[in-house]
Amino acid sequence: MLEHDVIIVGGGLAGCRAALEITRTDPSLKVAVVAKTHPIRSHSVAAQGGIAATLKNVDSNDTWEAHAFDTVKGSDYLADQDAVEVLVREAPDVVIDLEHMGVLFSRSPDGRIAQRAFGGHSHNRTCYAADKTGHAILHELVNNLRRSGVQIYEEWYVMRLILEDNQAKGLVMYHILDGHIEVLRAKAVMFATGGYGRVYSTTSNDYASTGDGLAMTALAGLPLEDMEFVQFHPTGLYPVGVLISEAVRGEGAYLINAEGERFMERYAPSRMELAPRDITSRAIVYEIRAGRGVNINGSAGGPFVYLDLRHMGREKIMSRIPFCWEEAHRLVGVDAVTQPMPVRPTNHYCMGGIPVNTDGRVRSSGENLVEAFFAAGETSCVSVHGANRLGSNSLLECVVYGRRTGAAIAQYVQNRKLPNVDEQRYLKEAQQQVQGLLEQKGEYRIQEIRGSFQETMTEYCGVFRTQEIMEEGWRIIQDLQEKSSRIYLDDKGSCWNTEVVEALEMRSLIVVGKIILASALNRQESRGAHFREDFPQRDDSKFLRHTMAYYSPAGIDIDYRPVAISMFQPQERKY
Ligand SMILES: Cc1cc2nc3c(=O)[nH]c(=O)nc-3n(C[C@H](O)[C@H](O)[C@H](O)COP(=O)(O)OP(=O)(O)OC[C@H]3O[C@@H](n4cnc5c(N)ncnc54)[C@H](O)[C@@H]3O)c2cc1C
């Protein structure tokens, strides 16, 4: 059996930042990072627009209190304000620390880190490296990790969390290269496994964002928090769904409908294109529903609107957002200097996740914690984003809470012994699971089931929701889950068998999708990204609380956890 003091699953920003902090705090600890991709292929590398921090380089009036207020208002008052305070107070320090590690941020003419406007932020506080910020940060973090002696298991798929008697003890993992399975035990386990974008048919996320960490946690009997809050980013490039960063609007682009009108005037007159994402995404869908969307031939009544950069000029476009220009050019043949880009909302981010406290310790219920289990980054829910995340606050969360969780783990494992794990039992169960997949004579291809599932989630649990529609979605997904046990694999080999991985990922997708649907059905109000056409108002008397959903194959139980309100009392949310 493999052994480490600490195992971190996930080589994105949150996992790498935590690993680095552990080795900085106590270099004698044996730390491992496991990832199903190479770490620098984690979705973090695709982050474009930037990372928020009140450095005051551009806007000297900015304060951490203003950043906190914007974040809480953006969250539709569901964020835990103690966690938000930590996030925004530590922000300037983590950004400076990144720069000391070697991250090449874009500069203002006087040499300081440049900062741009972003949706829902009242000041220019988003630091960036052109529109490749995630790339710049993740490459430096991984470089630093390589020097720190952390062991990296790359292209290993973690299949199971070993949790016994409310204590995390280790993992079971499958080597994608040759199909062999290992059990790994540790004094502490951390999940930094990212989001679940692939639950939806159109998403800005990469192929690996299948919610595995969320599903493994739920299957181990632990709750997931606030899973009904799914962020749809307003500007996915039509028809591919690839992200066109909010930085494009931060730099001054307009949203226009088929009539050439800047329609955000109707929905958020004070913030226009820089309203938060939930409001902007709904506005685009309203325009499309009202027949003011655009068709491929430019006529009205189509499925997208335009993101118009033409007034910005070639020089600004090429220096500030070159990657977004390139994406539109390469993927849909649009030259944004002279033509508007076709966009519509695309699935983007998971506000909910594995419930944790501000040290990254996982909660087993509203009041209790699990021993030796930690989480950070997009897969976790410390609840700094509540019902709607502001752009550039997620990279920040990964770095602030990655660092804090790393520091907490380094303390936690001092004087702890390695747990006892029945290696043979876990090995055998996992081998049987994989063997079963390889041998079964099923009726369905993975792609058939996965495609129908993603279409169902998109259609029945998207930007707009009602009870009737979601109940129908639930029935379809129950049926698909049953069919998913009757898939067959063409590849029976052990070398780089991606079908085995896809089959395991499909289980994750369906578990996560069901939890999203059940949580969304239960929340009979509209708040942030969760919009119920049958309950269009926010209802603080019943739902100013966090959902805690417990999965079992028989059904999903819902409980609640109170919201921490320390600085700002809930108000009506207007922009
Ligand atoms: C296109 C795009 C642009 C974005 N732009 C911004 C931005 O400008 N600013 C901002 O703040 N946020 C942005 N975001 C959001 C932000 O990038 C993510 O929320 C954040 O990077 C997530 O980091 P993470 O470390 O939590 O997870 P990820 O970077 O997603 O990493 C997850 C890791 O877990 C591993 N993993 C998952 N499952 C398993 C398994 N079963 N076994 C082994 N390993 C596993 C993966 O291999 C990977 O290494 C953007 C997101 C997207 C999709």
Side-chain angles (χ1 to χ4, degrees):
M1 179 161 41
L2 300 169
E3 294 173 357
H4 290 276
D5 291 315
V6 184
I7 325 167
I8 299 173
V9 187
L13 235 57
C16 288
R17 187 62 192 82
L20 212 56
E21 196 61 21
I22 298 171
T23 57
R24 276 183 180 179
T25 312
D26 180 351
S28 72
L29 290 174
K30 272 179 66 196
V31 182
V33 169
V34 187
K36 65 178 175 177
T37 53
H38 186 284
I40 57 169
R41 293 188 56 111
S42 304
H43 187 60
S44 294
V45 83
Q48 300 175 353
I51 175 166
T54 52
L55 292 182
K56 309 182 195 191
N57 289 352
V58 173
D59 197 336
S60 56
N61 297 326
D62 199 5
T63 59
W64 70 260
E65 290 91 341
H67 190 182
F69 178 71
D70 294 342
T71 302
V72 170
K73 182 178 174 188
S75 82
D76 220 346
Y77 294 90
L78 192 69
D80 283 325
Q81 297 182 16
D82 52 346
V84 171
E85 185 173 340
V86 167
L87 179 83
V88 300
R89 275 181 180 262
E90 294 188 9
D93 191 42
V94 293
V95 171
I96 303 282
D97 187 42
L98 287 174
E99 125 141 323
H100 289 175
M101 282 183 213
V103 177
L104 289 170
F105 286 106
S106 294
R107 301 281 160 176
S108 57
D110 66 3
R112 291 182 296 172
I113 294 176
Q115 298 188 278
R116 60 165 52 126
F118 239 75
H121 289 280
S122 57
H123 294 74
N124 287 12
R125 62 167 76 100
T126 297
C127 313
Y128 57 93
D131 51 0
K132 301 172 186 173
T133 312
H135 187 275
I137 301 178
L138 190 61
H139 276 249
E140 267 334 309
L141 281 181
V142 174
N143 273 341
N144 279 274
L145 263 196
R146 296 266 186 217
R147 284 196 286 269
S148 69
V150 169
Q151 176 154 0
I152 299 179
Y153 293 90
E154 61 198 38
E155 293 166 337
W156 284 81
Y157 182 92
V158 175
M159 304 169 61
R160 180 167 182 181
L161 166 70
I162 300 179
L163 182 91
E164 292 169 358
D165 309 323
N166 198 43
Q167 182 191 342
K169 296 185 167 178
L171 305 168
V172 183
M173 58 187 200
Y174 170 88
H175 200 191
I176 305 173
L177 181 70
D178 60 13
H180 91 269
I181 294 173
E182 288 278 358
V183 175
L184 215 152
R185 65 171 175 158
K187 296 173 186 169
V189 178
M190 173 180 172
F191 273 10
T193 42
Y196 57 56
R198 293 284 150 189
V199 162
Y200 286 85
S201 56
T202 312
T203 176
S204 66
N205 287 193
D206 73 356
Y207 286 97
S209 299
T210 50
D212 300 330
L214 297 161
M216 284 187 276
T217 304
L219 289 168
L222 298 173
L224 296 184
E225 182 171 342
D226 289 344
M227 291 291 285
E228 60 273 40
F229 298 104
V230 178
Q231 180 159 78
F232 294 89
H233 193 290
T235 56
L237 192 62
Y238 178 84
V240 283
V242 158
L243 186 75
I244 298 299
S245 173
E246 196 166 292
V248 175
R249 281 169 288 137
E251 296 290 355
Y254 302 149
L255 282 168
I256 55 177
N257 60 20
E259 292 161 12
E261 176 199 18
R262 279 180 74 189
F263 56 84
M264 286 307 294
E265 178 87 57
R266 262 198 295 288
Y267 304 95
S270 74
R271 300 287 303 165
M272 294 295 287
E273 281 83 0
L274 289 176
R277 291 176 178 172
D278 54 340
I279 293 173
T280 313
S281 286
R282 280 196 290 276
I284 294 174
V285 178
Y286 281 131
E287 290 298 303
I288 293 170
R289 280 182 172 186
R292 293 189 291 270
V294 190
N295 279 305
I296 290 286
N297 64 7
S299 64
F304 59 83
V305 297
Y306 282 136
L307 182 64
D308 192 354
L309 291 68
R310 290 171 294 183
H311 56 285
M312 290 164 56
R314 177 177 296 278
E315 198 193 314
K316 187 169 184 185
I317 293 173
M318 291 311 187
S319 64
R320 304 282 180 84
I321 42 174
F323 184 63
C324 291
W325 178 87
E326 187 193 314
E327 275 189 323
H329 195 250
R330 181 166 45 88
L331 297 169
V332 297
V334 165
D335 174 359
V337 174
T338 56
Q339 297 166 288
M341 294 180 184
V343 294
R344 60 170 292 143
T346 188
N347 166 277
H348 185 57
Y349 185 79
C350 154
M351 263 80 70
I354 305 169
V356 291
N357 71 8
T358 52
D359 287 328
R361 293 254 332 245
V362 175
R363 300 177 194 272
S364 55
S365 68
E367 301 84 44
N368 301 307
L369 299 172
V370 187
E371 290 303 329
F373 190 28
F374 295 78
E378 187 167 342
T379 201
S380 71
C381 181
V382 65
S383 205
V384 288
H385 310 302
N388 174 64
R389 166 175 83 89
L390 295 189
S392 70
N393 267 354
S394 169
L395 293 182
L396 179 63
E397 179 194 6
C398 289
V399 185
V400 166
Y401 281 99
R403 179 172 84 164
R404 282 181 76 87
T405 305
I409 292 174
Q411 291 307 321
Y412 184 87
V413 297
Q414 303 293 329
N415 307 319
R416 266 185 88 85
K417 289 200 189 69
L418 281 168
N420 291 324
V421 171
D422 181 350
E423 184 191 16
Q424 286 312 314
R425 177 194 143 199
Y426 286 104
L427 260 186
K428 210 163 140 204
E429 282 178 15
Q431 280 159 350
Q432 279 169 354
Q433 190 186 352
V434 172
Q435 210 50 39
L437 281 170
L438 292 171
E439 285 168 6
Q440 75 189 20
K441 296 190 183 27
E443 303 156 52
Y444 303 102
R445 306 288 303 262
I446 296 174
Q447 174 50 27
E448 282 174 66
I449 308 282
R450 189 180 55 203
S452 309
F453 166 78
Q454 291 166 329
E455 292 297 334
T456 308
M457 287 301 293
T458 306
E459 198 168 321
Y460 295 86
C461 199
V463 176
F464 291 100
R465 302 163 174 187
T466 67
Q467 173 146 350
E468 203 186 338
I469 288 181
M470 287 190 287
E471 281 174 350
E472 180 58 22
W474 179 267
R475 277 190 288 279
I476 300 173
I477 282 169
Q478 286 281 75
D479 180 49
L480 288 170
Q481 186 172 34
E482 193 271 318
K483 287 182 174 156
S484 73
S485 61
R486 286 183 275 138
I487 49 169
Y488 68 88
L489 273 48
D490 289 320
D491 187 349
K492 310 286 183 199
S494 57
C495 175
W496 209 263
N497 190 333
T498 50
E499 270 194 311
V500 168
V501 174
E502 284 179 20
L504 297 170
E505 286 176 341
M506 191 167 69
R507 180 192 65 171
S508 303
L509 292 175
I510 293 180
V511 168
V512 170
K514 286 182 81 176
I515 299 173
I516 295 172
L517 258 174
S519 306
L521 265 165
N522 182 69
R523 186 173 282 273
Q524 297 185 328
E525 65 155 356
S526 291
R527 183 185 297 272
H530 173 68
F531 194 86
R532 293 278 303 250
E533 289 185 285
D534 43 357
F535 297 96
Q537 301 303 322
R538 192 174 88 192
D539 183 353
D540 285 347
S541 66
K542 287 203 196 116
F543 288 105
L544 184 55
R545 47 190 187 166
H546 298 290
T547 306
M548 300 286 269
Y550 295 78
Y551 179 87
S552 81
I556 290 163
D557 291 330
I558 303 280
D559 198 359
Y560 299 98
R561 201 173 70 70
V563 178
I565 297 175
S566 48
M567 294 179 281
F568 313 108
Q569 285 305 314
Q571 305 166 12
E572 193 191 349
R573 182 166 167 255
K574 271 200 183 135
Y575 290 92

